[in-house]
Amino acid sequence: MQSYIRLLPNHIANQIAAGEVVQRPASVVKELMENSVDAGATSIQLVVKDAGKTLIQVTDDGKGMNETDARMCFERHATSKISQAEDLFNLHTKGFRGEALASIAAIAHVDLKTKMAEADLGTHLVIEGSEVQSQEEAVLPNGTSFIVRNLFFNIPARRNFLKSDQVEMRHIIDEFQRVALAHPDIRFSLTHNDTEVFQLPASNFKQRIMNIFGGKNDERLVPVSEQTELMNIDGFVGKSEFAKKTRGEQFFFVNRRFIKNSYLHHAVQSAYEGLLKEGYQPAYFLFLEVPPSKIDINIHPTKTEVKFEDEKALYAILRSSIKHSLGHFQVAPTLDFQRDPSLDVPYEKLGTPAETPTIEVDTNYNPFKSTYNPFESSTSLKSGGSSGGFSRSSTGGLSSVNRKIDHWETVFDGLPESTEEVIQAQQFIEATSDSETLFDAVGTEEQQRFSVFQFKKKYIVSTIKSGVIIIDQVRAHQRILFEKYLKALKNEQAPSQQLLFSIPLYYSTYEMQLLKRVENELKAMGFVFESFTDEQVVVSGIPTEMTESEISMLLEDLLNELESDFPEETSVLHEHIAKSFAASSSVRTGTPLSVEQQENFVHLLFACAEPMVSPFGKPTYSIIDIQEIDKRFMK
Ligand code: ADP
Ligand code: MG
């Protein structure tokens, strides 16, 4: 009888297994860099070409390999890191499965040069698609250099599935940053297409964070340190006022290995309870040291998820130690964010001397009456009354609400008052003096101006010929700003406001490169740069719609956008930039608007080319027509 089962040839088995370990160029970067760390290197250089698709080279000054090991390291399950099963429970290295190099060699052209310090000569080995092409002695420096060329050369489907260089490079930078953050005592560099992206000297953890993410982090970070039986915590968390809308700068390292763990992430997040604006994310860089036997080691080496024996306890320790640090090092957050307006001094009382408080005794109070209701009281406290909305803007401060209020007027500066479009819009919006309005009965000039009102600090409500129009203030403002910014980008002659004091801004080398690529666009919008070096940009003039205090945040938001997607086509890039600025500089929900501002909004919105949708495709307004309203009263 014939047998059908056959063993797969080695190179095919390797190719299949490779799919698990190597998904993209960044996976190779991770494996090679981790091997260099495991080899005790003090300096690791990463060079990539075309986002790793053409070439990935990692050079280290670690312990190197002898002739036999140089060959052996490409065998599946060849590792120097464990020799018995028990070792698995006491791992202090990154690798242990001996799969990475075998997988990489199965799907790329690999060139290995390695020399041990105690040897006179090194070895140079070339292997392509698991086949050793050559191996010879060579004069080499101590350490190891792997060059990986033409990744997935023999699996076209995989190669075709690689994303744009932009995206693949982002993944590589992520992996590079993770390894570099986990080992501040090692020197690292990253060069892409002959441009140096990172040059990180050996340093302490805080310095490493600053070298990667920019010098600005110095004042933004709060140290966290906690030693307990279950785990040690060391590292830094960001002050709440520097939180961002993206999750970019969040790093957990467990025993110096980067991990993702949503439960622990939640623990950090919860330590910021009440300190963060909605949707904002704190930065954190945390080293957790846990006995290796307490973590589930049965995880796939390329996965970043990890399981702990005692997660609940870790959660509590993490949360409380971060809370403690935030309380200790962070000045209490500015209270005026989302504060109760009834606590404000009424406008008419501003600047008048305070009256001596009088004590009012509630004569109805009977402590033995269990159903006592203080609101029944005849002398209950009165609230401060209306504070006049905007009048409190002078408090300034860090809250976005006040920030928005501060520069409100500038949004409308320099706009033509009666262009044809505005006239059209004015015709569209019903004249306030129209006799149909209910308020007409009152008749004073003051009342007649109330053709608009703000609802829930979120919508602007007005009347039009066919009914009632409800405008979303955020989306409308985004549309107005978007078209304005777009126009500026196209015409390249937007006005600029000179700053009294220039603002220096620090970014990572990579971010600076991105910023440099949009330098002309930013100038077209009204930015003036005093200097523009590799790690610092000094801003001396800004677009008239923006305020000094928000510039750093606006540029940061833009960089975040561009990092995830950098359109090559100019018109798309312009839209991208205008959208980003429109989103981050628009008024927020919850911002009170004066009547003039509401009216201006309505006019400017309908002067837009596309007033119906926000730049993100969401409706800006909705109309309830008169028939619909009439119908409700038919009964
Ligand atoms: P693992 O790291 O899981 O052991 P790898 O396939 O990544 O498996 O590497 C196989 C072996 O090759 C390692 O155990 C190590 O002995 C050796 N090796 C790999 N890279 C280096 C390096 N840069 N320097 C010295 N030895 C290395
Ligand atoms: Mg390895």
Side-chain angles (χ1 to χ4, degrees), residues 31-32 34-35 38 81 94-101:
E31 295 298 339
L32 294 183
E34 289 190 346
N35 279 346
D38 283 346
K81 297 166 196 176
K94 311 263 168 199
F96 60 91
R97 292 165 58 127
E99 272 184 320
L101 292 178

Side-chain angles (χ1 to χ4, degrees), residues 144 465 516:
T144 304
K465 288 229 153 54
K516 191 98 198 151

